[in-house]
Amino acid sequence: MEQKEFHARNGQSWELNQIPILEESSFRQKILEGCHHNLRLVNLYAQQDENRNIKVFAILGNDQEGRLTVFAMQIPHDQALFQSLTSELPQAHMFEREMAEQFAIAPIGHPWLKPVRYHQNYRNVSDLWPEVSSKSIPGVYPFYRVNGEEVHEVAVGPVHAGIIEPGHFRFQCHGEEILNLEIQLGYQHRGIEKVMENVSVERAVLLAESIAGDSVIGHATAYCNIIESLSDCEISPRAEAIRSIALELERLSNHIGDLGALSTDIGFLPPSAYFGRLRGEFLNLLMELSGNRYGRSLCRPGGVLFDLDEGMIKNFRERLLIAQRDLKEISDLFFSKSSVLSRLEGTGIVSKKTAKELGLVGPVARASGLGLDVRSDYAFGMYRFNYIPVSTVHSGDVYARALIRWLESQRSIEFLLDVLNQIPEGDLQTKVSVLKPNHMALSMIEGWRGEIVHVAMTDSNSRVVRYKIKDPSFSNWMGLSMAVRGVQISDFPLCNKSFNLSYAGHDL
Amino acid sequence: MGFQILLHIGIVIILSPLLLGIIGKTKAFFAGRWGAPLLQPYYDIGKLLRKGNVYSTTTTWIFQAAPIVSLAAVLVSSILIPMGGLKAPFSFWGDIILFAGLYALARFFIIIAALDTGSSFEGMGASREAAFSCLAEIVLFLDFIILALLSKKLILSEMIMRNILSWELFGPVLLLVVASYFLVLLTENARIPIDDPATHLELTMIHEVMVLDHSGWDLAYILYGAAIKLFVLGALLVNILIPFHGLPAIVQFMVFWGGMIILAIGLGIVESCMARLRLNRVPQLLTGAFVLALVGLLIILVKGV
């Protein structure tokens, strides 16, 4: 049977009835075949339509051609189950758990069916885990256990010694060696996806900025792109340029902060202090641009709120040149010390095969040799004109994840200098009109952690009825679990830092 | 003798946290920071002494006894060593065994107190500490045997004082002793590259993770004990390394205290210019220290004293 295909590109919107609705078997078949042939599961999520039936949408990405394939299947509300894909396609694992929790639809045959964020479902029917969703989080969760002589269990968190977010880590160890790590998150669930459907655009952008506190620009830009795309608003090249400057500054401050944190964790103090200072430099630039060190209130639907004048551009360029020189000096010190390399090399390896199977994204995937980067694969905004080369490293260990941060920081500074050199003209703000009814929009942004995906759907009254957010952390936490298998438990903090994933972004 | 002992212990109590302050300042200097005040370790201990203790209901008297036992043990060990012009106020034939035994006692109590809490972190720390100190203790005893053979004494303070003669004849052997002993010093005092005293990551700690549950003055005793341990073991190193015994008292005094300050700065430099070892490399490092000491011993056994 010939099926009609629907393809889209990053940042587009389209009418909902263009999306083909397939039978469950062909839906499964299409995903499995696609992912077998170079495609990647970008998003898989459910929505309840006006007849209380459930629609499952799949978005497959063709990274080589920058093309997204969208299709859906329908599940009747009185028979809420579907055949799980996870055992054949591990990258569907978290998506299916999420759908099972949000809409109480049971993925039959899912090998690891556990709740994700411990909330009640959106359909007001009985949950798949009534004993979990009705109680407070800890204690009632069935952890994976290993039994045997000299096997011991170490529980870390959710309250940690450092200033980090809450999350529970359950290690099964044999002596110092980690056999299995189970990561239990959900402590920061705020119901952002649900709130996004019920608030005005002015408030929603504030919510988007708080999805993950260190990816403000990434998520805010993704949200703005969605709204602009749903209202056919074309923002000016200058606004695009300023957004990309902010996005790269955010990437720089976080990547360099991570390098500093890595050197703190291995007890090598001088670079940790120097990287820390350098991180402050990029945060300060962002503050001078937007009035906030993390770039809050810069991106708004229709453009940006703050401009760069000639004096600022000159000043930014000078300071970036100094930072470029400083970064090289410190990184040379850090990456040339044998005691540093002996800690980083060969620790926490994620093979290219594992990274691909788990659907890892962002710097973590690039450190395992996958050349995924939304900025070049699905170029958006300024990146359509100023190309950023994709950096990849192949060893997949902590060293690779540290090195990728250095390489990307260099590329980002070069990009910034380039954009600042020829910043286009245009209005800061363009008027945003009413959203188009019965449309769906998709926006992908390469945040500093990786691929941020926002999807929005409107109903016949132009109201947003489903807002789906995927933070890169959602895809990558499983990668951390796999990376630490067989690693010494004393190296776990180092592996964790090399991923540096967001808890809030995962918990939404 | 009573006065001498009090003087000795008084000096140790007053000055030992200063070494930590100097190390901290040195590390801050290399990181391009001002760092905490030189007297910060005193402020920390003072702050903790003013606080109350919190005890978990699962712990027993062992948990409460461990801090004071370990502090007492290291204080007693301090009277066995001379400190620049001041002779060791207390010594007897074979006191090197007591010296090592006191540290073993302190460690034993800290380890069982850690096990007493029943926390998986502390159990991990206890097992690491026990494993590494086993290796470090062998090296310490080998070093003592070499010093004993060189000086033909079994009294710690006299063994050390004879080294003014030994350096001329057995310089290479003493250098091996100093090198291996320095690694023991780093291990025993939980310094980089063996352990990171400044980390907050429980899973990577050795020494710090064992005292996570201690609070208030118990923690102050433990911190004080650690400072004194560093001071006493450091003083022993300075005594071995610098042959100043027999010189005028004022010269001995200046050389000793100068040596202690340089040692603290040296430790700060070592910690600033390298990252921590991976935990499973620590036994290799200690095995290296063992081999160094063994070579020293072989030289003496072959060559004769």
Side-chain angles (χ1 to χ4, degrees):
Chain A
M1 187 180 79
E2 191 64 31
Q3 291 163 351
K4 62 177 178 168
E5 292 264 336
F6 177 72
H7 299 302
R9 295 207 169 258
N10 183 14
Q12 277 186 337
S13 61
W14 55 87
E15 278 185 48
L16 276 173
N17 57 22
Q18 282 181 274
I19 302 169
I21 295 176
L22 313 177
E23 291 292 312
E24 192 189 328
S25 57
S26 49
F27 180 83
R28 271 177 63 82
Q29 198 60 30
K30 204 164 157 63
I31 293 179
L32 289 176
E33 266 177 21
C35 291
H36 197 68
H37 294 106
N38 264 335
L39 300 191
R40 191 165 55 86
L41 196 55
V42 171
N43 218 332
L44 182 70
Y45 68 98
Q47 186 231 352
Q48 190 177 23
D49 62 16
E50 50 275 23
N51 306 323
R52 301 194 60 230
N53 291 328
I54 298 152
K55 262 190 196 153
V56 177
F57 291 86
I59 301 171
L60 296 182
N62 184 331
D63 301 320
Q64 282 76 36
E65 296 170 27
R67 197 178 61 189
L68 298 151
T69 312
V70 188
F71 49 96
M73 71 165 175
Q74 202 148 21
I75 299 177
H77 67 89
D78 48 354
Q79 198 195 343
L81 43 87
F82 65 102
Q83 278 295 319
S84 162
L85 289 161
T86 301
S87 48
E88 288 158 81
L89 185 73
Q91 36 179 313
H93 159 230
M94 286 303 285
F95 293 122
E96 288 188 338
R97 276 169 67 183
E98 186 186 42
M99 286 197 292
E101 181 164 57
Q102 289 180 335
F103 292 94
I105 44 177
I108 305 299
H110 193 292
W112 197 256
L113 193 56
K114 295 183 174 190
V116 183
R117 305 182 180 109
Y118 316 95
H119 59 74
Q120 280 159 356
N121 66 71
Y122 297 161
R123 292 202 297 148
N124 289 326
V125 295
S126 77
D127 283 309
L128 291 185
W129 305 273
E131 76 284 7
V132 173
S133 57
S134 60
K135 282 188 200 144
S136 58
I137 300 166
V140 288
Y141 184 87
F143 285 101
Y144 179 77
R145 291 198 70 158
V146 179
N147 291 318
E149 198 155 331
E150 290 181 28
V151 171
H152 62 110
E153 190 177 64
V154 180
V156 184
V159 180
H160 298 279
I163 311 165
I164 61 168
E165 299 175 77
H168 183 81
F169 299 87
R170 192 65 74 94
F171 297 92
Q172 309 293 326
C173 298
H174 180 255
E176 295 273 340
E177 185 195 339
I178 300 172
L179 296 176
N180 185 61
L181 162 63
E182 188 168 349
I183 301 168
Q184 180 210 25
L185 302 173
Y187 294 90
Q188 307 224 84
H189 179 61
R190 295 150 290 167
I192 290 191
E193 279 186 7
K194 225 38 201 155
V195 185
M196 288 294 251
E197 296 163 10
N198 301 317
V199 297
S200 61
V201 170
E202 290 78 15
R203 275 191 64 199
V205 68
L206 294 177
L207 282 172
E209 286 181 337
S210 6
I211 289 169
D214 48 14
S215 306
V216 173
I217 303 285
H219 279 289
T221 310
Y223 175 74
C224 293
N225 283 356
I226 289 271
I227 296 299
E228 286 149 11
S229 157
L230 279 176
S231 65
D232 282 333
C233 158
E234 190 81 35
I235 73 166
S236 75
R238 192 174 187 88
E240 296 272 28
I242 289 177
R243 279 183 188 173
S244 71
I245 290 171
L247 188 62
E248 292 310 313
L249 284 174
E250 180 174 270
R251 186 183 326 278
L252 278 163
S253 64
N254 280 298
H255 276 3
I256 290 170
D258 282 350
L259 287 173
L262 280 171
S263 45
T264 310
D265 281 6
I266 55 173
F268 190 28
L269 296 182
S272 121
Y274 303 147
F275 278 129
R277 183 193 66 77
L278 205 54
R279 168 175 181 262
E281 191 61 34
F282 292 110
L283 290 176
N284 288 345
L285 287 175
L286 202 49
M287 186 175 78
E288 281 167 42
L289 173 60
S290 71
N292 181 288
R293 278 159 65 84
Y294 295 92
R296 280 173 195 263
S297 74
L298 175 68
C299 303
R300 286 295 175 271
V304 291
L305 293 186
F306 301 96
D307 199 6
L308 281 167
D309 61 33
E310 278 308 311
M312 276 169 85
I313 291 174
K314 190 161 169 290
N315 178 289
F316 271 39
R317 280 183 54 84
E318 281 164 12
R319 283 160 67 184
L320 280 170
L321 284 170
I322 297 172
Q324 191 176 32
R325 201 193 59 211
D326 288 353
L327 175 65
K328 180 168 173 10
E329 253 172 52
I330 307 165
S331 304
D332 280 343
L333 168 70
F334 183 72
F335 286 103
S336 65
K337 269 272 181 259
S338 58
S339 60
V340 172
L341 297 181
S342 85
R343 284 304 300 277
L344 304 187
E345 283 177 343
T347 306
I349 297 174
V350 182
S351 67
K352 186 172 179 177
K353 184 165 168 283
T354 310
K356 202 171 165 60
E357 278 179 359
L358 292 177
L360 303 189
V361 295
V364 172
R366 294 195 282 278
S368 292
L370 294 180
L372 303 175
D373 190 328
V374 180
R375 290 174 295 174
S376 57
D377 299 341
Y378 305 91
F380 54 93
M382 203 60 192
Y383 303 100
R384 287 171 298 181
F385 314 113
N386 292 47
Y387 178 69
I388 287 198
V390 181
S391 315
T392 49
V393 186
H394 291 272
S395 51
D397 50 7
V398 176
Y399 172 74
R401 290 188 284 274
L403 190 64
I404 204 90
R405 288 182 158 89
W406 180 29
L407 296 175
E408 288 189 8
S409 301
Q410 293 171 356
R411 298 293 102 79
S412 292
I413 295 180
E414 283 157 16
F415 172 86
L416 283 175
L417 289 169
D418 198 27
V419 172
L420 284 170
N421 212 9
Q422 37 176 348
I423 195 159
E425 291 301 317
D427 295 329
L428 287 188
Q429 287 272 340
T430 315
K431 187 111 183 59
V432 177
S433 49
V434 185
L435 306 187
K436 293 182 285 190
N438 286 324
H439 266 66
M440 173 168 170
L442 177 144
S443 157
M444 290 163 80
I445 299 285
E446 184 72 17
W448 68 272
R449 256 194 206 100
E451 175 187 281
I452 294 170
V453 184
H454 285 213
V455 182
M457 291 155 86
T458 55
D459 65 1
S460 49
N461 302 323
S462 294
R463 231 168 42 87
V464 174
V465 286
R466 180 80 173 105
Y467 199 91
K468 181 80 201 78
I469 301 160
K470 196 200 77 173
D471 188 84
S473 307
F474 188 73
S475 315
N476 284 358
W477 273 111
M478 200 60 200
L480 174 61
S481 268
M482 296 306 291
V484 299
R485 285 205 180 160
V487 166
Q488 300 269 305
I489 191 169
S490 59
D491 279 336
F492 168 73
L494 193 59
C495 289
N496 187 23
K497 197 69 72 185
S498 72
F499 278 77
N500 194 12
L501 300 174
S502 170
Y503 300 62
H506 171 278
D507 293 348
L508 294 179
Chain B
M1 197 172 90
F3 171 73
Q4 279 178 336
I5 290 178
L6 282 182
L7 181 69
H8 226 75
I9 287 182
I11 290 174
V12 169
I13 286 180
I14 291 168
L15 289 177
S16 53
L18 191 61
L19 281 193
L20 291 175
I22 297 175
I23 294 176
K25 270 287 180 203
T26 314
K27 285 168 80 171
F29 172 79
F30 277 92
R33 297 181 293 118
W34 282 110
L38 201 55
L39 301 182
Q40 189 63 43
Y42 295 93
Y43 304 149
D44 288 346
I45 291 168
K47 173 191 75 186
L48 289 169
L49 282 173
R50 290 196 302 274
K51 290 194 171 190
N53 291 344
V54 179
Y55 295 115
S56 146
T57 48
T58 61
T59 56
T60 61
W61 63 271
I62 291 173
F63 183 77
Q64 302 182 28
I68 195 74
V69 171
S70 65
L71 177 64
V74 290
L75 263 181
V76 171
S77 76
S78 73
I79 61 175
L80 297 175
I81 56 156
M83 292 194 299
L86 291 173
K87 288 200 166 50
F90 184 74
S91 57
F92 57 90
W93 196 87
D95 62 1
I96 50 169
I97 307 286
L98 176 66
F99 187 81
L102 284 168
Y103 284 100
L105 178 71
R107 183 159 44 239
F108 175 73
F109 263 88
I110 296 284
I111 287 176
I112 59 170
L115 294 175
D116 195 23
T117 61
S119 140
S120 51
F121 289 145
E122 303 214 8
M124 246 165 23
S127 95
R128 290 171 186 168
E129 173 94 353
F132 298 153
S133 58
C134 265
L135 294 166
E137 209 162 64
I138 299 174
V139 183
L140 185 68
F141 269 106
L142 270 183
D143 287 343
F144 280 161
I145 291 171
I146 296 172
L147 290 175
L149 286 172
L150 285 176
S151 60
K152 303 208 168 47
K153 299 274 183 193
L154 259 181
I155 301 168
L156 189 58
S157 54
E158 294 191 14
M159 266 162 47
I160 295 165
M161 283 194 229
R162 286 298 186 92
N163 71 356
I164 194 156
L165 299 173
S166 308
W167 272 101
E168 289 174 16
L169 295 170
F170 291 99
V173 175
L174 279 174
L175 274 181
L176 289 171
V177 169
V178 167
S180 56
Y181 181 77
F182 186 69
L183 294 175
V184 173
L185 177 82
L186 291 177
T187 312
E188 287 286 328
N189 290 296
R191 311 303 309 183
I192 288 172
I194 316 291
D195 193 0
D196 183 2
T199 186
H200 64 268
L201 305 165
E202 305 98 334
L203 293 175
T204 70
M205 298 173 176
I206 302 171
H207 183 77
E208 304 300 314
V209 74
M210 292 195 299
V211 300
L212 277 182
D213 281 50
H214 288 283
S215 55
W217 63 75
D218 278 351
L219 186 57
Y221 293 158
I222 285 173
L223 292 184
Y224 225 130
I228 293 171
K229 191 172 177 184
L230 177 65
F231 185 89
V232 173
L233 292 176
L236 194 60
L237 180 70
V238 171
N239 272 311
I240 300 171
L241 190 59
I242 311 175
F244 52 72
H245 302 283
L247 299 173
I250 180 74
V251 179
Q252 284 197 32
F253 176 84
M254 284 167 60
V255 169
F256 177 76
W257 292 110
M260 288 298 275
I261 290 170
I262 291 169
L263 174 71
I265 294 174
L267 282 172
I269 294 173
V270 167
E271 294 195 16
S272 298
C273 56
M274 66 191 305
R276 239 189 104 178
L277 285 175
R278 194 175 284 183
L279 207 59
N280 52 3
R281 291 281 173 82
V282 174
Q284 297 172 10
L285 185 78
L286 288 170
T287 311
F290 172 76
V291 171
L292 289 180
L294 195 66
V295 170
L297 185 64
L298 286 177
I299 293 175
I300 294 180
L301 291 180
V302 171
K303 202 177 168 200
V305 182

